[in-house]
Amino acid sequence: MATSSRYKMILISEAQQIVLDNTKTLPSEEVSLTNALGRTLAQTVTAKDSLPPFPASIKDGYAVIAADGVGEYPVIGESRAGSMDPMTVIPGTVAYITTGAPVPPGADAVIQVEDTERVEMADGSKRVMIKKAAKGPGQDIRPIGSDIMASSTVLEKGELIGVAEVGILATVGATSGLQVYGRPHVAILSTGDEVVEPSTVNLGAGQIRDANRAMLIAAAMKTGAKVTDLGIARDTEGHLEGCFKKAIDAGVDVLITSGGVSMGDRDLIKPL
């Protein structure tokens, strides 16, 4: 029996680099937004539209012409999130507006409702007192594209799609035909005559429950990989080779083994 190994001991960082150098990119596939969570983008995603797609009010209040200043004005219409009366704000008029609503044509600022006071009119018409003038054009208005500009990149190729990324994809309308990299198929194999299933109630002499395989399976599943459990291989060449053949026949991308790499005469993983 050899007393020294023909297999050089290497650093973990070296082992990781060897794995990375020999890892090929999997082909991409199309998924819908509902199936994109946890996948890795195989494309760059750009915005079809600007966000907001129109000048939008930051606050509830009144759309005004900044140069008009303080005073009492007729309210010529309303702009609410999702709808706007047909109107154009001209000097000497204002329009009621809600948060997120489009700023009507002609208006160039928004006065928050706290700086106004409704004026009760006997004829039922709507008027408002602007008590504090706008500091200038653009006050409390989100310009077109202030969040996202049309044609800008919102997610890069290679990014992992998490919860926030799903929201971004929904925002730009990328709901179908998303190109993502395929999920790797990972097989997990434990080795050792002393290793038994975790469900074993009464351990025999020298036996231990298989914790490594359970943890490795969980770790692989957490990454989103397809996982094949190859069970426990006995410390015999024929059985180990059979397990390896099963993994190859299943077309796995990655085979992870646990145990069988020391200097004992039944540590058979390295020669294989």
Side-chain angles (χ1 to χ4, degrees):
M1 175 180 173
T3 57
S4 62
S5 174
R6 68 177 186 269
Y7 303 102
K8 177 186 173 184
M9 182 74 73
I10 62 175
L11 297 173
I12 292 176
S13 58
E14 292 180 78
Q16 290 173 329
Q17 193 59 53
I18 291 171
V19 171
L20 292 173
D21 290 343
N22 288 275
T23 299
K24 297 179 180 179
T25 301
L26 294 172
S28 64
E29 58 189 40
E30 286 190 359
V31 298
S32 65
L33 180 60
T34 55
N35 294 315
L37 184 65
R39 305 300 296 271
T40 300
L41 276 170
Q43 67 173 98
T44 296
V45 180
T46 58
K48 300 175 184 177
D49 315 290
S50 293
L51 180 71
F54 47 78
S57 178
I58 295 175
K59 296 177 179 178
D60 295 325
Y62 291 87
V64 304
I65 295 173
D68 278 351
V70 298
E72 185 179 313
Y73 297 95
V75 181
I76 61 171
E78 295 184 349
S79 180
R80 296 178 178 274
S83 66
M84 181 172 66
D85 294 338
M87 60 180 164
T88 298
V89 175
I90 60 175
T93 66
V94 301
Y96 179 73
I97 195 167
T98 61
T99 303
V103 176
D108 63 5
V110 171
I111 304 295
Q112 64 181 6
V113 71
E114 293 89 341
D115 294 330
T116 69
E117 185 178 335
R118 290 184 181 180
V119 178
E120 298 296 332
M121 302 298 295
D123 61 2
S125 61
K126 296 180 179 180
R127 297 181 69 85
V128 67
M129 175 63 72
I130 303 297
K131 299 189 294 183
K132 186 176 181 180
K135 293 180 179 179
Q139 176 176 295
D140 286 337
I141 294 175
R142 293 167 62 210
I144 294 173
S146 55
D147 290 340
I148 300 172
M149 287 297 295
S151 301
S152 65
T153 297
V154 295
L155 290 174
E156 298 281 359
K157 179 179 179 181
E159 286 196 59
L160 180 66
I161 302 174
V163 174
E165 288 73 19
V166 168
I168 292 171
L169 291 168
T171 296
V172 300
T175 59
S176 62
L178 289 168
Q179 289 290 326
V180 298
Y181 291 111
R183 296 182 186 274
H185 184 181
V186 179
I188 311 293
L189 174 67
S190 285
T191 67
D193 291 338
E194 78 282 10
V195 180
V196 296
E197 292 292 342
S199 57
T200 301
V201 176
N202 298 311
L203 295 176
Q207 291 184 332
I208 57 171
R209 295 185 182 89
D210 185 1
N212 285 0
R213 182 164 49 102
M215 290 191 297
L216 290 169
I217 289 172
M221 292 179 68
K222 186 178 180 180
T223 69
K226 175 185 176 182
V227 179
T228 293
D229 181 2
L230 293 177
I232 302 169
R234 299 299 104 191
D235 288 330
T236 60
E237 290 188 16
H239 194 206
L240 275 171
E241 290 173 348
C243 291
F244 275 41
K245 184 177 185 303
K246 184 178 178 181
I248 294 169
D249 290 345
V252 302
D253 301 300
V254 180
L255 171 60
I256 301 175
T257 62
S258 172
V261 294
S262 189
M263 287 291 292
D265 58 358
R266 292 191 179 182
D267 288 314
L268 304 171
I269 290 292
K270 286 181 178 179
L272 290 176

